[in-house]
Amino acid sequence: MQPNINAGVIVMQNRNKTKMKIQDPEARIKNFREVALGYSFEDAKEEAQRCLNCKNPQCISGCPVNVDIRGFIQEIKKGNFENALKIIKNTNGLPAICGRVCPQEKQCEERCVLGKIGEPVAIGRLERFLGDNFSIRTEPPSKKREEKIAIIGGGPSGITAAIDLRKEGFDVTIFEAFPKLGGVLLYGIPQFRLPKEIVETETNELKNLGIKIETNHIIGRSLPFEKIVEEYDAIYIGIGAGAPRFMGIPGTNLKNVFSSSEILTRVNLMKAYEFPEYGTPVFCKEKAAVIGAGNVTMDVARTLKRLGAEEVTIIYRRTENEVPARKEEFDHAREEGVNFLWLTQPIEYLPDETKTLKAIKCIKMELGEPDSSGRRKPIPIEGSEFILDFQMVVEAIGQKSNSVLKAFEGLQLNKWGYIDVNEETLQTNIENVFAGGDIVTGSATVILAMGAGKKAAESILAFLNEKKEVKTL
Amino acid sequence: MNEIIEINCIANLTYEIIFCNGEICENSKPGQFLILQKDEFSERVPLTIVNCEDGKVRVIIKVVGRSSLEISEMKVGDSFKNVVGPLGNHSEIRKYGNIVCIGGGVGAAPLLPVTRELKKTGNKIISILGAADANSLILDDEFEKISEKLYITTNDGSKGKKGFVTDILKELLKEKKVDIIWAIGPMIMMREVTKLSVENAVPCWVSLNPIMVDGTGMCGACRVHIKNEIKFACVDGPEFSGADVNWDELISRLSQYRDQEKSATEYKCRCDSNAK
Ligand SMILES: Cc1cc2nc3c(=O)[nH]c(=O)nc-3n(C[C@H](O)[C@H](O)[C@H](O)COP(=O)(O)OP(=O)(O)OC[C@H]3O[C@@H](n4cnc5c(N)ncnc54)[C@H](O)[C@@H]3O)c2cc1C
Ligand SMILES: Cc1cc2nc3c(=O)[nH]c(=O)nc-3n(C[C@H](O)[C@H](O)[C@H](O)COP(=O)(O)OP(=O)(O)OC[C@H]3O[C@@H](n4cnc5c(N)ncnc54)[C@H](O)[C@@H]3O)c2cc1C
Ligand code: FES
């Protein structure tokens, strides 16, 4: 069926997405439970009906891993939920996760033709619905290959590469630094946005597939990189860009100045929101500032609200039109009473007599000409400095590559400290080593990291096939 | 793996734990540490690797708060839920000449493997161990074996000389040619030793123990200014040249979570270390 804009009835009835139940802001800032509660069976069917089943669906080309979106939605319409999930799982191993955290409004949903006249089909919510309510038991593959593959880093990128390579029958081992798989999904994105039980359910399937998992292994420290390169036929590095960046302004090492990573790691990985039942504490004061405006910034601000901060203020050097966070997170932060201070840049943290943060000295900014990225560059307004009292501040201005990477001997890095790869194949300067995800691109998104894992899996397969041919010749 | 095969109280509130972990043994070098977590609910606790032999790792832990107390109460046969290591950079071991090795309190534990290796490399070792009192002194017998001379100081004079390790160091620096100092202990001790080393133009290594969470460079809790540049002690250290460290800032940051931590003084030693 062609998208028929003239079918006035459909347009009138379905201009908006089927609403998803969410926890009321008043209630939710007092708990860490999930904010968005998901679709019921009826909701999902209703929403699926809105899909026009376009002959030439644009949504699919908007998905970095090309999920057959039209295909799975048609199955939902028919009530064949398991088939629908199977279709997604052909290309995306983590639907319950992606349904929750992908920036759909900039990807699949942005291209949906319904978006031209109202809201697009709620593709993310439907994906989440399937991931949450159905499961397909994964079995070890029937194919068998002798070659051993090591995956360094158990984030979305490494997990995706591992699944695809295991399906080809390889002997695959994931080495992960933390006690559990998930990467940022586990220690970065908070419980109220992505419950850790879901990450665990989706990553547990890796074991059913027969993937070996070695947690508590930091390659380059607890196991030398050279050893892995020697012992495995191919290696994929997906270690993320986990090291926090600091602005480095005076006062950075005062007490009560934190990185977003510290707050989020304590809360998410170590469950500090349940201190003292869990042993790891986290710090929170009534009046808190968070610097930045990305997903991480929103996550920290909303976490602090839940930990009991009365006044949380996000300080950003551009305006609300440039906010890089996912729209839903920005909206939710607003609903939860987070304050925003636009066009403002901190320039110094001021201490009290005990070397504890007392106030932040800021400067006003204005937007100048667009820079190379197309965004208008913020420029400080001379003489506009002012001082605001805060009891704590968290910097959420982005991550960089971890200096453990220096111990990956022989591996070529670029000038920003990320791994240098061939963009087509994701191969590094070491023949049997491939890399992708945040450690190649810098902080990006879950789905892009997964896309890189897929691409690398294809390249590794081709690489090992070629080697095998040479051997048998 | 990670099963405890020995746990002994070796001094006031100080426990020696030996557990199995072949991989750590295979890969660790002096100066490195590990992080262990007793169970799902526990904090991640960084501890220096004191010995590694035949797949057995030895650590020494002083009870200063909730997590160290929990660990000290574990029994032979219990296992740690998670152990990751070795972490951090290993020490710069080479031939320096005359070395003064200074251990304060439980700092003697991390100092021991470094001193042992320095001795093996042909250095002449003079050791100074400092403790609050005789009951808190650890590893003096092991230091005795590898040192040309071992000095002991206690704050109350119950063993060795009454006073601080710096009292002895001051004298030594006057009398002898010292090529390098290695100091591990409470931050304040390391700061004072560093001051003396700078005054006498002798290089000095210290090992920093700021608050850590992941220990892998991903949280920034352990950050410290080294020569005015932010470094993470867990991946860029833990050993640094004492003269490069911003001590006052580091010492103040140690108390970041004080409100949440119970005072260590609430804990009483359960072993009879008076027998020592
Ligand atoms: C707070 C926060 C919120 C975010 N919100 C969103 C969102 O809503 N939507 C979205 O699409 N993206 C979001 N992102 C970005 C997204 O999470 C990342 O782009 C994505 O996780 C990158 O995946 P990765 O696999 O490359 O790396 P990571 O997820 O960082 O995983 C890397 C893994 O490697 C492990 N590792 C590191 N070093 C080693 C080593 N030496 N040896 C062994 N293992 C190692 C790490 O422990 C980690 O588990 C967010 C990021 C953060 C920090
Ligand atoms: C690289 C390194 C090596 C170490 N080696 C040893 C060792 O060999 N033997 C030993 O007894 N101790 C060692 N420590 C210190 C030990 O990790 C802490 O004493 C322990 O974590 C305190 O936990 P707690 O809950 O018992 O005390 P808490 O009540 O939580 O805190 C008491 C004090 O201990 C310090 N502390 C608290 N949490 C941490 C943390 N996560 N990391 C570091 N310090 C913390 C703080 O100064 C705090 O004020 C080392 C620390 C580091 C960073
Ligand atoms: S402990 Fe987290 S960065 Fe060092």
Side-chain angles (χ1 to χ4, degrees):
Chain A
M1 192 170 86
Q2 282 294 323
N4 190 346
I5 314 278
N6 292 331
V9 193
I10 296 178
V11 175
M12 287 305 289
Q13 277 178 349
N14 300 327
R15 194 176 288 254
N16 293 325
K17 291 179 178 177
T18 308
K19 285 238 171 345
M20 179 164 57
K21 288 194 191 68
I22 57 171
Q23 269 199 75
D24 179 63
E26 289 281 312
R28 72 185 190 233
I29 58 166
K30 296 193 179 71
N31 67 54
F32 270 83
R33 289 197 300 276
E34 197 172 11
V35 168
L37 302 173
Y39 275 170
S40 66
F41 281 56
E42 290 69 39
D43 293 339
K45 273 194 165 166
E46 185 186 321
E47 183 60 21
Q49 291 305 335
R50 294 182 63 227
C51 172
L52 299 176
N53 196 9
C54 304
K55 204 178 259 164
N56 186 7
Q58 296 303 305
C59 49
I60 301 180
S61 59
C63 172
V65 299
N66 297 324
V67 167
D68 177 6
I69 295 167
R70 179 184 62 176
F72 90 73
I73 294 184
Q74 302 324 302
E75 291 301 307
I76 298 182
K77 280 186 187 167
K78 293 184 222 152
N80 296 336
F81 299 119
E82 259 155 34
N83 280 352
L85 181 61
K86 236 177 242 161
I87 291 174
I88 299 184
K89 285 235 170 164
N90 278 337
T91 41
N92 182 343
L94 310 172
I97 293 168
C98 288
R100 285 173 166 82
V101 304
C102 273
Q104 288 95 2
E105 74 272 12
K106 291 181 196 150
Q107 297 176 166
C108 52
E109 293 183 15
E110 184 182 48
R111 313 250 176 125
C112 173
V113 288
L114 283 188
K116 299 205 172 94
I117 47 175
E119 286 183 341
V121 175
I123 300 169
R125 293 176 186 177
L126 290 174
E127 184 184 23
R128 165 183 169 166
F129 164 78
L130 294 171
D132 282 357
N133 295 292
F134 302 92
S135 64
I136 311 166
R137 196 174 153 80
T138 28
E139 304 278 344
S142 44
K143 295 185 221 173
K144 186 163 165 49
R145 296 272 306 238
E146 291 307 315
E147 296 97 325
K148 287 168 65 187
I149 297 173
I151 308 282
I152 308 180
S157 200
I159 290 175
T160 306
I163 294 176
D164 283 13
L165 288 164
R166 180 61 192 146
K167 284 184 178 162
E168 293 297 329
F170 292 107
D171 177 345
V172 179
T173 308
I174 301 181
F175 292 95
E176 165 56 44
F178 280 130
K180 286 182 184 162
L181 294 186
V184 170
L185 307 174
L186 180 78
Y187 61 79
I189 303 179
Q191 182 79 6
F192 54 82
R193 201 143 78 75
L194 177 64
K196 301 308 143 212
E197 300 73 28
I198 294 195
V199 179
E200 216 155 308
T201 314
E202 293 208 331
T203 54
N204 270 344
E205 286 191 28
L206 301 188
K207 288 183 204 139
N208 301 336
L209 262 177
I211 294 169
K212 296 175 189 154
I213 297 167
E214 296 282 354
T215 52
N216 292 320
H217 278 79
I218 302 177
I219 307 307
R221 279 284 188 267
S222 64
L223 263 182
F225 176 62
E226 307 86 80
K227 222 173 176 169
I228 304 275
V229 175
E230 249 176 60
E231 283 176 18
Y232 289 83
D233 298 289
I235 292 114
Y236 178 62
I237 307 178
I239 59 174
R245 209 190 274 279
F246 289 94
M247 292 187 289
I249 62 176
T252 302
N253 282 9
L254 292 175
K255 273 199 288 183
N256 301 7
V257 178
F258 301 88
S259 76
S260 55
S261 321
E262 178 176 353
I263 300 287
L264 293 174
T265 306
R266 285 177 179 274
V267 172
N268 299 321
L269 183 73
M270 306 309 294
K271 297 221 174 358
Y273 61 94
E274 296 192 26
F275 182 83
E277 190 188 348
Y278 282 78
T280 306
V282 65
F283 189 86
C284 187
K285 282 276 183 193
E286 295 81 45
K287 220 170 165 227
V290 190
I291 317 297
N295 283 322
V296 188
T297 320
M298 304 298 155
D299 284 343
V300 172
R302 299 172 66 199
T303 296
L304 293 176
K305 271 270 168 192
R306 285 161 175 75
L307 290 172
E310 269 156 32
E311 222 186 292
V312 180
T313 306
I314 286 182
I315 301 180
Y316 184 46
R317 59 192 179 137
R318 292 187 162 98
T319 73
E320 63 174 299
N321 301 323
E322 286 84 24
V323 165
R326 217 174 153 245
K327 187 173 175 303
E328 188 175 324
E329 310 319 325
F330 181 27
D331 290 346
H332 283 170
R334 276 194 171 156
E335 287 165 22
E336 289 167 14
V338 171
N339 307 325
F340 293 87
L341 203 57
W342 307 116
L343 291 169
T344 305
Q345 175 80 346
I347 50 174
E348 186 175 354
Y349 298 129
L350 304 170
D352 68 8
E353 57 292 342
T354 65
K355 292 196 188 340
T356 306
L357 176 87
K358 187 181 75 177
I360 305 180
K361 187 171 181 188
C362 299
I363 190 162
K364 278 272 157 216
M365 309 292 275
E366 62 189 345
L367 290 183
E369 293 299 310
D371 62 10
S372 54
S373 72
R375 287 199 298 180
R376 292 175 64 193
K377 205 174 136 89
I379 306 163
I381 303 174
E382 220 176 295
S384 67
E385 291 87 349
F386 62 104
I387 291 173
L388 290 172
D389 285 351
F390 281 105
Q391 294 164 313
M392 73 182 288
V393 59
V394 185
E395 289 195 6
I397 56 155
Q399 279 92 288
K400 57 180 183 181
S401 80
N402 191 316
S403 62
V404 170
L405 207 52
K406 285 188 209 139
F408 285 45
E409 245 161 74
L411 192 66
Q412 199 172 306
L413 308 182
N414 64 25
K415 63 180 177 193
W416 299 282
Y418 297 120
I419 301 176
D420 231 352
V421 296
N422 171 329
E423 275 179 33
E424 291 304 311
T425 59
L426 301 185
Q427 192 171 29
T428 67
N429 64 310
I430 306 175
E431 193 195 41
N432 63 336
V433 180
F434 298 74
D438 281 6
I439 193 54
V440 167
T441 58
S443 314
T445 60
V446 172
I447 195 73
L448 286 174
M450 291 175 67
K454 284 202 148 327
K455 200 174 190 183
E458 280 168 24
S459 301
I460 289 174
L461 179 65
F463 169 77
L464 291 176
N465 282 346
E466 200 172 301
K467 278 213 140 172
K468 204 170 153 191
E469 270 168 32
V470 173
K471 244 195 216 160
T472 46
L473 272 181
Chain B
M1 215 169 49
N2 301 331
E3 184 183 326
I4 296 180
I5 47 180
E6 249 185 76
I7 177 160
N8 307 308
C9 182
I10 57 167
N12 183 32
L13 290 168
T14 312
Y15 295 76
E16 164 191 84
I17 303 174
I18 298 173
F19 65 92
C20 304
N21 189 312
E23 259 177 29
I24 290 182
C25 284
E26 209 173 294
N27 297 304
S28 90
K29 298 208 178 98
Q32 292 186 297
F33 64 100
L34 50 77
I35 283 196
L36 51 81
Q37 198 187 8
K38 177 180 167 264
D39 58 40
E40 188 79 39
F41 294 94
S42 313
E43 242 182 317
R44 293 164 69 89
V45 177
L47 292 174
T48 309
I49 301 165
V50 180
N51 273 61
C52 264
E53 239 169 75
D54 303 333
K56 291 175 214 147
V57 182
R58 177 188 183 204
V59 291
I60 292 178
I61 183 163
K62 171 133 198 198
V63 176
V64 296
R66 166 177 168 165
S67 303
S68 42
L69 178 72
E70 257 180 26
I71 292 169
S72 76
E73 287 173 341
M74 291 175 78
K75 304 256 164 352
V76 171
D78 292 348
S79 293
F80 297 108
K81 168 101 178 160
N82 293 300
V83 180
V84 54
L87 298 172
N89 298 307
H90 58 76
S91 311
E92 282 275 324
I93 305 283
R94 57 188 147 90
K95 182 133 190 202
Y96 295 93
N98 292 328
I99 307 183
V100 178
C101 291
I102 307 176
V106 73
L111 185 67
L112 182 63
V114 182
T115 311
R116 219 189 279 126
E117 204 60 24
L118 286 168
K119 165 84 182 170
K120 263 196 221 154
T121 320
N123 292 289
K124 283 198 169 158
I125 311 284
I126 294 177
S127 302
I128 313 174
L129 295 184
D133 52 36
N135 283 336
S136 304
L137 188 70
I138 56 165
L139 303 176
D140 43 332
D141 45 344
E142 290 180 61
F143 272 94
E144 181 93 62
K145 282 185 225 152
I146 50 175
S147 314
E148 308 266 305
K149 178 132 182 75
L150 166 69
Y151 294 91
I152 289 171
T153 66
T154 48
N155 300 359
D156 65 353
S158 51
K159 183 147 186 186
K161 194 170 181 263
K162 181 172 157 74
F164 299 105
V165 290
T166 40
D167 302 341
I168 306 265
L169 180 63
K170 240 181 248 166
E171 297 303 312
L172 282 176
L173 287 168
K174 269 189 222 149
E175 288 162 17
K176 275 188 115 64
K177 179 179 156 290
V178 176
D179 295 299
I180 194 163
I181 301 168
W182 233 278
I184 310 184
M187 295 261 192
I188 299 195
M189 178 204 100
M190 293 193 280
R191 180 184 67 189
E192 295 310 309
V193 170
T194 297
K195 272 188 200 154
L196 283 179
S197 79
V198 171
E199 280 164 22
N200 290 273
V202 178
C204 172
W205 281 110
V206 296
S207 178
L208 302 185
N209 51 348
I211 293 180
M212 293 187 176
V213 185
D214 58 309
T216 64
M218 297 203 241
C219 77
C222 65
R223 69 187 186 275
V224 48
H225 272 115
I226 301 291
K227 281 196 193 157
N228 290 323
E229 211 186 305
I230 292 181
K231 296 277 177 194
F232 294 170
C234 66
V235 286
D236 302 318
E239 292 191 334
F240 294 99
S241 163
D244 297 341
V245 176
N246 183 332
W247 290 104
D248 293 344
E249 166 193 288
L250 192 60
I251 290 169
S252 119
R253 289 175 56 78
L254 268 186
S255 63
Q256 179 70 64
Y257 291 89
R258 184 149 293 165
D259 288 349
Q260 287 106 325
E261 295 153 351
K262 276 193 193 161
S263 152
T265 53
E266 288 174 35
Y267 304 105
K268 281 228 167 61
C269 188
R270 290 165 297 106
C271 78
D272 184 18
S273 57
N274 295 336
K276 207 171 178 270

